[in-house]
Amino acid sequence: MLTAEDKKLIQQVWGKLGGAEEEVGADTLWRMFHAYPPTKTYFPHFDLSQGSDQIRGHGKKVVAALGTAIKNLDNLSQALSELSNLHAYNLRVDPPCFALQFLAQCLQVVLAVRLGKEYTPEVHSAVDKFMSAVAAVLAEKYR
Amino acid sequence: MVHWSAEEKQLIASVWAKVNVEECGAEALARLLIVYPWTQRFFSNFGNLSSPTAILGNPKVRAHGKKVLTSFGDAIKNLDNIKGTYSKLSELHCDKLHVDPENFRLLGDILIIVLASHFGRDFSPACQFAWQKLVSVVAHALARKYH
Protein backbone atom coordinates (compact mmCIF):
# COMPACT_ATOMS: atom_id res chain seq x y z
CA MET A 1 0.00 0.00 0.00
CA LEU A 2 2.66 2.53 0.99
CA THR A 3 5.10 3.25 -1.83
CA ALA A 4 8.76 4.10 -1.23
CA GLU A 5 7.90 7.73 -1.99
CA ASP A 6 5.03 7.69 0.54
CA LYS A 7 7.37 6.35 3.22
CA LYS A 8 9.92 9.05 2.49
CA LEU A 9 7.30 11.82 2.66
CA ILE A 10 5.85 10.50 5.91
CA GLN A 11 9.25 10.36 7.57
CA GLN A 12 10.06 13.86 6.32
CA VAL A 13 6.81 15.29 7.64
CA TRP A 14 7.33 13.69 11.02
CA GLY A 15 10.86 15.04 11.10
CA LYS A 16 9.47 18.56 10.70
CA LEU A 17 7.57 18.29 13.97
CA GLY A 18 10.91 18.65 15.77
CA GLY A 19 10.01 18.27 19.43
CA ALA A 20 6.44 19.51 19.14
CA GLU A 21 5.04 16.00 19.29
CA GLU A 22 3.30 16.55 22.63
CA GLU A 23 1.57 19.69 21.40
CA VAL A 24 0.54 17.98 18.17
CA GLY A 25 -0.93 15.10 20.17
CA ALA A 26 -2.84 17.33 22.57
CA ASP A 27 -4.12 19.56 19.75
CA THR A 28 -5.23 16.53 17.71
CA LEU A 29 -7.14 14.96 20.60
CA TRP A 30 -8.74 18.23 21.65
CA ARG A 31 -9.93 18.85 18.09
CA MET A 32 -11.23 15.29 17.86
CA PHE A 33 -13.22 15.54 21.10
CA HIS A 34 -14.55 18.94 20.06
CA ALA A 35 -15.52 18.09 16.47
CA TYR A 36 -16.67 14.50 17.10
CA PRO A 37 -18.30 14.37 20.54
CA PRO A 38 -19.04 10.61 20.33
CA THR A 39 -15.28 10.00 20.62
CA LYS A 40 -15.49 11.27 24.19
CA THR A 41 -17.49 8.19 25.15
CA TYR A 42 -14.23 6.26 25.36
CA PHE A 43 -12.82 8.62 27.98
CA PRO A 44 -15.42 8.96 30.74
CA HIS A 45 -12.57 8.72 33.25
CA PHE A 46 -10.70 11.68 31.77
CA ASP A 47 -10.81 15.38 32.49
CA LEU A 48 -11.66 16.50 28.98
CA SER A 49 -11.42 20.23 29.56
CA GLN A 50 -9.09 22.18 27.30
CA GLY A 51 -5.46 21.87 28.24
CA SER A 52 -6.10 19.06 30.72
CA ASP A 53 -3.06 17.08 31.81
CA GLN A 54 -4.79 13.87 30.79
CA ILE A 55 -5.36 15.07 27.24
CA ARG A 56 -1.75 16.20 27.00
CA GLY A 57 -0.50 12.92 28.44
CA HIS A 58 -2.65 10.80 26.21
CA GLY A 59 -1.89 12.89 23.14
CA LYS A 60 1.80 12.37 23.80
CA LYS A 61 1.24 8.59 23.99
CA VAL A 62 -0.69 8.50 20.74
CA VAL A 63 1.91 10.54 18.88
CA ALA A 64 4.73 8.42 20.30
CA ALA A 65 2.96 5.30 19.01
CA LEU A 66 2.60 6.86 15.57
CA GLY A 67 6.28 7.77 15.73
CA THR A 68 7.15 4.14 16.41
CA ALA A 69 4.98 3.08 13.50
CA ILE A 70 6.77 5.57 11.26
CA LYS A 71 10.15 4.10 12.21
CA ASN A 72 8.81 0.68 11.23
CA LEU A 73 6.85 1.35 8.06
CA ASP A 74 8.03 -1.92 6.56
CA ASN A 75 6.55 -3.92 9.37
CA LEU A 76 3.56 -2.11 10.84
CA SER A 77 1.83 -5.30 11.94
CA GLN A 78 4.74 -6.23 14.16
CA ALA A 79 5.45 -2.71 15.42
CA LEU A 80 1.84 -2.13 16.44
CA SER A 81 1.13 -5.66 17.62
CA GLU A 82 0.74 -4.73 21.30
CA LEU A 83 -1.53 -1.81 20.47
CA SER A 84 -3.50 -4.04 18.16
CA ASN A 85 -4.13 -6.45 21.04
CA LEU A 86 -5.03 -3.59 23.36
CA HIS A 87 -7.58 -2.10 20.98
CA ALA A 88 -9.13 -5.46 20.13
CA TYR A 89 -9.42 -7.00 23.56
CA ASN A 90 -9.36 -4.18 26.10
CA LEU A 91 -10.30 -0.87 24.63
CA ARG A 92 -12.66 -2.20 21.98
CA VAL A 93 -12.99 1.21 20.39
CA ASP A 94 -15.49 0.99 17.55
CA PRO A 95 -13.49 -0.76 14.84
CA PRO A 96 -10.72 1.56 13.83
CA CYS A 97 -12.01 1.70 10.31
CA PHE A 98 -14.61 4.04 11.72
CA ALA A 99 -13.24 5.63 14.86
CA LEU A 100 -9.73 6.20 13.62
CA GLN A 101 -11.10 8.27 10.75
CA PHE A 102 -11.81 11.05 13.21
CA LEU A 103 -8.39 10.89 14.79
CA ALA A 104 -6.81 10.77 11.33
CA GLN A 105 -8.80 13.77 10.11
CA CYS A 106 -7.85 15.85 13.14
CA LEU A 107 -4.18 14.85 12.91
CA GLN A 108 -4.20 15.93 9.27
CA VAL A 109 -5.78 19.27 10.19
CA VAL A 110 -3.14 19.84 12.88
CA LEU A 111 -0.33 18.98 10.46
CA ALA A 112 -1.87 21.26 7.81
CA VAL A 113 -2.18 24.09 10.33
CA ARG A 114 1.48 23.75 11.29
CA LEU A 115 2.93 23.13 7.84
CA GLY A 116 0.73 25.31 5.61
CA LYS A 117 1.84 25.04 2.01
CA GLU A 118 4.34 22.33 2.91
CA TYR A 119 1.34 20.08 3.50
CA THR A 120 1.23 19.36 -0.22
CA PRO A 121 -1.26 17.02 -1.90
CA GLU A 122 1.47 14.37 -2.10
CA VAL A 123 2.21 14.61 1.64
CA HIS A 124 -1.54 14.66 2.39
CA SER A 125 -1.99 11.52 0.34
CA ALA A 126 0.92 9.71 2.02
CA VAL A 127 -0.27 10.58 5.54
CA ASP A 128 -3.83 9.56 4.67
CA LYS A 129 -2.60 6.19 3.42
CA PHE A 130 -0.40 5.77 6.49
CA MET A 131 -3.31 6.39 8.88
CA SER A 132 -5.43 3.90 6.90
CA ALA A 133 -2.67 1.33 7.26
CA VAL A 134 -2.42 1.98 11.00
CA ALA A 135 -6.21 1.63 11.35
CA ALA A 136 -6.13 -1.66 9.44
CA VAL A 137 -3.43 -3.08 11.74
CA LEU A 138 -5.27 -1.96 14.88
CA ALA A 139 -8.44 -3.63 13.59
CA GLU A 140 -6.74 -6.91 12.66
CA LYS A 141 -7.64 -8.81 15.79
CA TYR A 142 -11.14 -7.53 16.39
CA ARG A 143 -12.74 -10.78 15.37
CA MET B 1 -33.87 21.79 10.58
CA VAL B 2 -30.26 22.15 11.66
CA HIS B 3 -29.61 24.48 14.55
CA TRP B 4 -26.67 26.85 14.19
CA SER B 5 -25.50 28.83 17.18
CA ALA B 6 -24.55 32.47 16.68
CA GLU B 7 -20.93 31.50 17.28
CA GLU B 8 -21.00 28.77 14.63
CA LYS B 9 -22.53 31.14 12.09
CA GLN B 10 -19.88 33.73 12.87
CA LEU B 11 -17.03 31.24 12.60
CA ILE B 12 -18.30 29.96 9.27
CA ALA B 13 -18.84 33.45 7.87
CA SER B 14 -15.52 34.84 9.04
CA VAL B 15 -13.56 32.01 7.40
CA TRP B 16 -15.66 32.18 4.24
CA ALA B 17 -15.03 35.91 3.89
CA LYS B 18 -11.33 35.18 3.52
CA VAL B 19 -11.62 32.22 1.16
CA ASN B 20 -10.47 32.58 -2.43
CA VAL B 21 -13.20 30.40 -3.91
CA GLU B 22 -11.38 29.71 -7.16
CA GLU B 23 -8.10 28.68 -5.51
CA CYS B 24 -9.56 26.72 -2.61
CA GLY B 25 -12.13 25.02 -4.81
CA ALA B 26 -9.52 23.99 -7.34
CA GLU B 27 -7.19 22.74 -4.62
CA ALA B 28 -9.89 20.79 -2.79
CA LEU B 29 -11.07 19.00 -5.91
CA ALA B 30 -7.51 18.31 -7.04
CA ARG B 31 -6.66 16.82 -3.65
CA LEU B 32 -9.77 14.60 -3.83
CA LEU B 33 -8.56 13.20 -7.15
CA ILE B 34 -4.99 12.81 -5.84
CA VAL B 35 -5.60 11.43 -2.35
CA TYR B 36 -8.52 9.21 -3.38
CA PRO B 37 -7.68 8.32 -6.98
CA TRP B 38 -10.79 6.18 -7.43
CA THR B 39 -12.82 9.40 -7.46
CA GLN B 40 -11.34 10.03 -10.91
CA ARG B 41 -14.00 7.66 -12.17
CA PHE B 42 -16.42 10.57 -12.26
CA PHE B 43 -14.16 12.73 -14.37
CA SER B 44 -13.12 10.54 -17.29
CA ASN B 45 -13.67 13.40 -19.73
CA PHE B 46 -11.42 15.82 -17.86
CA GLY B 47 -8.29 14.97 -19.83
CA ASN B 48 -4.93 14.43 -18.19
CA LEU B 49 -5.25 13.17 -14.61
CA SER B 50 -2.14 11.03 -14.72
CA SER B 51 -0.15 12.63 -11.89
CA PRO B 52 -0.57 15.11 -9.03
CA THR B 53 1.11 17.79 -11.17
CA ALA B 54 -1.21 17.07 -14.08
CA ILE B 55 -4.26 17.16 -11.82
CA LEU B 56 -3.26 20.39 -10.08
CA GLY B 57 -2.67 22.08 -13.44
CA ASN B 58 -5.71 20.66 -15.20
CA PRO B 59 -8.00 23.56 -16.24
CA LYS B 60 -11.15 21.43 -16.11
CA VAL B 61 -10.34 20.39 -12.56
CA ARG B 62 -9.77 24.01 -11.58
CA ALA B 63 -13.00 25.16 -13.21
CA HIS B 64 -15.05 22.41 -11.67
CA GLY B 65 -13.47 22.93 -8.27
CA LYS B 66 -14.50 26.57 -8.45
CA LYS B 67 -18.05 25.55 -9.38
CA VAL B 68 -18.30 23.12 -6.47
CA LEU B 69 -17.01 25.59 -3.89
CA THR B 70 -19.20 28.38 -5.26
CA SER B 71 -22.12 26.11 -4.56
CA PHE B 72 -20.90 25.75 -0.97
CA GLY B 73 -21.32 29.50 -0.79
CA ASP B 74 -25.03 29.00 -1.45
CA ALA B 75 -25.24 26.73 1.57
CA ILE B 76 -23.50 29.36 3.69
CA LYS B 77 -25.97 32.01 2.52
CA ASN B 78 -28.83 29.67 3.43
CA LEU B 79 -27.69 27.92 6.58
CA ASP B 80 -31.28 27.62 7.73
CA ASN B 81 -32.37 25.79 4.61
CA ILE B 82 -29.47 23.75 3.30
CA LYS B 83 -31.85 20.87 2.52
CA GLY B 84 -33.90 23.05 0.18
CA THR B 85 -30.86 24.70 -1.33
CA TYR B 86 -29.40 21.34 -2.39
CA SER B 87 -32.60 19.56 -3.37
CA LYS B 88 -32.07 19.78 -7.14
CA LEU B 89 -28.32 19.12 -6.87
CA SER B 90 -29.08 16.01 -4.85
CA GLU B 91 -31.34 14.67 -7.59
CA LEU B 92 -28.68 15.50 -10.16
CA HIS B 93 -25.92 13.67 -8.27
CA CYS B 94 -28.13 10.61 -7.94
CA ASP B 95 -29.99 10.42 -11.24
CA LYS B 96 -27.51 11.82 -13.72
CA LEU B 97 -24.05 11.79 -12.13
CA HIS B 98 -24.41 8.52 -10.15
CA VAL B 99 -22.06 9.64 -7.40
CA ASP B 100 -21.81 7.53 -4.25
CA PRO B 101 -22.63 9.95 -1.39
CA GLU B 102 -19.57 8.75 0.51
CA ASN B 103 -17.63 10.99 -1.85
CA PHE B 104 -19.33 14.09 -0.44
CA ARG B 105 -17.91 13.21 2.99
CA LEU B 106 -14.45 12.74 1.51
CA LEU B 107 -14.54 16.09 -0.27
CA GLY B 108 -15.83 17.82 2.86
CA ASP B 109 -12.94 16.48 4.94
CA ILE B 110 -10.46 17.50 2.27
CA LEU B 111 -11.89 21.02 2.11
CA ILE B 112 -11.28 21.31 5.84
CA ILE B 113 -7.65 20.27 5.44
CA VAL B 114 -7.23 22.84 2.66
CA LEU B 115 -8.68 25.56 4.90
CA ALA B 116 -6.40 24.46 7.74
CA SER B 117 -3.32 24.70 5.55
CA HIS B 118 -4.33 28.17 4.32
CA PHE B 119 -5.36 29.68 7.63
CA GLY B 120 -2.96 27.98 10.02
CA ARG B 121 -3.64 28.65 13.69
CA ASP B 122 -6.59 30.90 12.80
CA PHE B 123 -8.35 27.66 11.90
CA SER B 124 -8.99 27.02 15.56
CA PRO B 125 -10.63 23.90 16.99
CA ALA B 126 -13.90 25.86 17.27
CA CYS B 127 -13.60 26.82 13.62
CA GLN B 128 -12.93 23.24 12.63
CA PHE B 129 -15.95 22.09 14.60
CA ALA B 130 -18.28 24.56 12.90
CA TRP B 131 -16.94 23.65 9.47
CA GLN B 132 -17.04 19.88 10.09
CA LYS B 133 -20.68 20.38 11.00
CA LEU B 134 -21.26 22.40 7.83
CA VAL B 135 -19.66 19.88 5.48
CA SER B 136 -21.58 17.09 7.19
CA VAL B 137 -24.89 18.93 6.75
CA VAL B 138 -24.07 19.65 3.10
CA ALA B 139 -23.16 16.00 2.51
CA HIS B 140 -26.45 14.88 4.06
CA ALA B 141 -28.43 17.36 2.00
CA LEU B 142 -26.77 16.15 -1.18
CA ALA B 143 -27.57 12.55 -0.30
CA ARG B 144 -31.13 13.25 0.72
CA LYS B 145 -32.86 12.80 -2.62
CA TYR B 146 -31.13 9.53 -3.44
CA HIS B 147 -33.40 6.65 -4.24
Side-chain angles (χ1 to χ4, degrees), chain B residues 1-18 72-82 123 126-134 137:
Chain B
M1 201 184 89
V2 181
H3 171 75
W4 301 94
S5 72
E7 195 203 354
E8 283 166 350
K9 288 186 179 184
Q10 193 269 322
L11 286 168
I12 290 169
S14 72
V15 167
W16 188 247
K18 295 181 262 185
F72 245 85
D74 289 340
I76 293 173
K77 282 194 212 85
N78 293 284
L79 287 177
D80 294 327
N81 186 20
I82 294 185
F123 199 66
C127 252
Q128 182 185 352
F129 176 46
W131 275 82
Q132 295 282 175
K133 184 172 165 180
L134 175 64
V137 169

Side-chain angles (χ1 to χ4, degrees), chain B:
Chain B
M1 201 184 89
V2 181
H3 171 75
W4 301 94
S5 72
E7 195 203 354
E8 283 166 350
K9 288 186 179 184
Q10 193 269 322
L11 286 168
I12 290 169
S14 72
V15 167
W16 188 247
K18 295 181 262 185
V19 165
N20 177 324
V21 172
E22 183 166 347
E23 283 306 316
C24 271
E27 193 181 336
L29 186 63
R31 281 179 188 248
L32 182 74
L33 299 172
I34 292 166
V35 179
Y36 306 114
W38 54 88
T39 57
Q40 293 171 22
R41 71 191 294 280
F42 302 113
F43 301 99
S44 51
N45 63 340
F46 267 35
N48 187 3
L49 298 178
S50 60
S51 70
T53 312
I55 292 171
L56 286 160
N58 184 312
K60 284 190 172 175
V61 170
R62 295 191 68 82
H64 197 70
K66 180 181 175 184
K67 199 180 192 183
V68 168
L69 201 60
T70 300
S71 156
F72 245 85
D74 289 340
I76 293 173
K77 282 194 212 85
N78 293 284
L79 287 177
D80 294 327
N81 186 20
I82 294 185
K83 262 184 341 210
T85 304
Y86 278 117
S87 180
K88 287 261 174 302
L89 268 178
S90 180
E91 285 169 5
L92 180 77
H93 281 77
C94 172
D95 298 331
K96 294 267 164 20
L97 304 177
H98 310 295
V99 177
D100 182 341
E102 173 64 11
N103 293 287
F104 308 146
R105 193 187 62 75
L106 293 180
L107 183 61
D109 277 354
I110 285 196
L111 175 61
I112 296 214
I113 290 171
V114 169
L115 294 176
S117 77
H118 281 229
F119 295 116
R121 289 192 190 284
D122 285 348
F123 199 66
S124 65
C127 252
Q128 182 185 352
F129 176 46
W131 275 82
Q132 295 282 175
K133 184 172 165 180
L134 175 64
V135 302
S136 169
V137 169
V138 167
H140 267 106
L142 277 173
R144 208 166 161 269
K145 289 301 184 78
Y146 273 59
H147 60 96

